[in-house]
Amino acid sequence: MGKYYNLSSSQFINYLGFNKYIKGTQGLTKRNTMLNSDITEVPIEVADFVIPFGIYGSEHEIYALKSYANYRKFKGKDFNFILDNQKSFEIHNWTQIDNGFISLSSTPDFICDDFTTIGECKAGGMGKGYNLDQIIEKYVSQIYGQQMVLKMLRYPIQKTHFVNWAESFVQIYEILPNPEYEKYLIEHLESYAEHLISEKEFTEKIKKFDVDSKLFNLIQEVEK
């Protein structure tokens, strides 16, 4: 029986090798750390200081969602695949070779506007939120990756609304699709898939794709 792996858009940053919380050189040893974790099925250890940030974010993302609903004057019926009804969208057999295959998946926080808008909610920094540079550094591959996966599945995605919630403010950014970044993602996800199936480490680092911050359009900012 061949090997099966799923690459999730929330982990795309790890497959590229640019998660600063993974030890190693960006684009090479960080990538190999993730690769070996997938091959051996042994999770990467998370530094103790990071854990409270994740717990806080998970517990407070609901406030980001409520802020977005208030901004749009939405009720529950205006959202698709939200909260307990979140859906994992999966492209089965995205890459297939003789001894295995890879799928891609994505689980947005919600979809709305007749399946044209993806919603992603974050409550980062232990209540301090993120600045724009941090959003791009942490989430650009997830944002564009979600758009790419859902478009591959024939959903009419036109944009992402990214909610940046903090205890003192709320920001909503609108991000349109970026075909050049999608090409970059596909190239390096295909490479990751090949190394995953063959169980061979990377020997060359990849170049980071610099995304222009002007592509993240701030459409709402409210101070509390």
Side-chain angles (χ1 to χ4, degrees):
M1 182 177 177
K3 302 170 186 175
Y4 167 77
Y5 297 99
N6 174 259
L7 305 183
S8 168
S9 61
S10 63
Q11 299 295 314
F12 282 1
I13 187 174
N14 293 342
Y15 308 139
L16 296 174
F18 295 120
N19 186 341
K20 69 179 182 179
Y21 297 112
I22 294 178
K23 292 181 180 179
T25 305
Q26 286 203 355
L28 181 55
T29 51
K30 287 176 182 288
R31 220 176 172 204
N32 283 329
T33 299
M34 186 64 192
L35 180 69
N36 288 316
S37 172
D38 280 340
I39 291 170
T40 61
E41 299 182 4
V42 176
I44 296 172
E45 290 188 11
V46 178
D48 290 342
F49 81 91
V50 175
I51 295 174
F53 287 84
I55 294 172
Y56 181 95
S58 297
E59 291 178 346
H60 289 78
E61 281 181 8
I62 186 65
Y63 298 112
L65 178 56
K66 289 179 178 178
S67 297
Y68 183 80
N70 290 338
Y71 166 64
R72 296 293 306 273
K73 297 181 172 57
F74 274 7
K75 295 183 179 180
K77 64 181 177 61
D78 298 306
F79 293 98
N80 300 103
F81 308 120
I82 192 172
L83 297 175
D84 293 340
N85 292 318
Q86 265 185 284
K87 176 179 173 62
S88 177
F89 298 87
E90 186 167 344
I91 302 170
H92 299 282
N93 298 351
W94 174 66
T95 294
Q96 186 168 3
I97 57 178
D98 291 342
N99 60 334
F101 59 94
I102 307 283
S103 68
L104 297 182
S105 69
S106 186
T107 310
D109 287 328
F110 62 84
I111 298 177
C112 60
D113 301 327
D114 295 325
F115 297 94
T116 64
T117 302
I118 293 173
E120 191 61 34
C121 299
K122 300 297 180 185
M126 295 294 287
K128 296 180 180 178
Y130 298 118
N131 61 43
L132 182 53
D133 287 341
Q134 289 173 320
I135 292 171
I136 292 173
E137 179 185 32
K138 291 173 177 284
Y139 299 114
V140 68
S141 60
Q142 180 179 3
I143 292 167
Y144 289 134
Q146 288 177 342
Q147 294 177 352
M148 181 184 75
V149 169
L150 268 71
K151 287 193 298 178
M152 286 179 173
L153 292 169
R154 306 303 183 191
Y155 286 90
I157 300 301
Q158 297 177 6
K159 58 186 175 293
T160 292
H161 282 168
F162 184 97
V163 187
N164 179 31
W165 184 91
E167 293 177 2
S168 61
F169 68 86
V170 180
Q171 296 174 325
I172 301 174
Y173 287 91
E174 184 171 277
I175 305 115
L176 304 182
N178 186 334
E180 290 304 312
Y181 192 90
E182 290 179 18
K183 290 178 184 177
Y184 170 84
L185 262 184
I186 289 172
E187 176 187 352
H188 293 297
L189 289 175
E190 286 178 345
S191 173
Y192 189 88
E194 290 170 3
H195 283 76
L196 193 54
I197 295 296
S198 66
E199 299 187 358
K200 293 181 179 178
E201 287 194 341
F202 296 97
T203 58
E204 296 181 3
K205 64 184 298 185
I206 65 174
K207 185 178 180 180
K208 195 168 186 178
F209 189 111
D210 292 322
V211 173
D212 189 343
S213 61
K214 293 178 181 178
L215 297 176
F216 282 58
N217 181 30
L218 183 63
I219 59 174
Q220 195 215 29
E221 184 169 26
V222 175
E223 295 185 0
K224 301 177 186 177

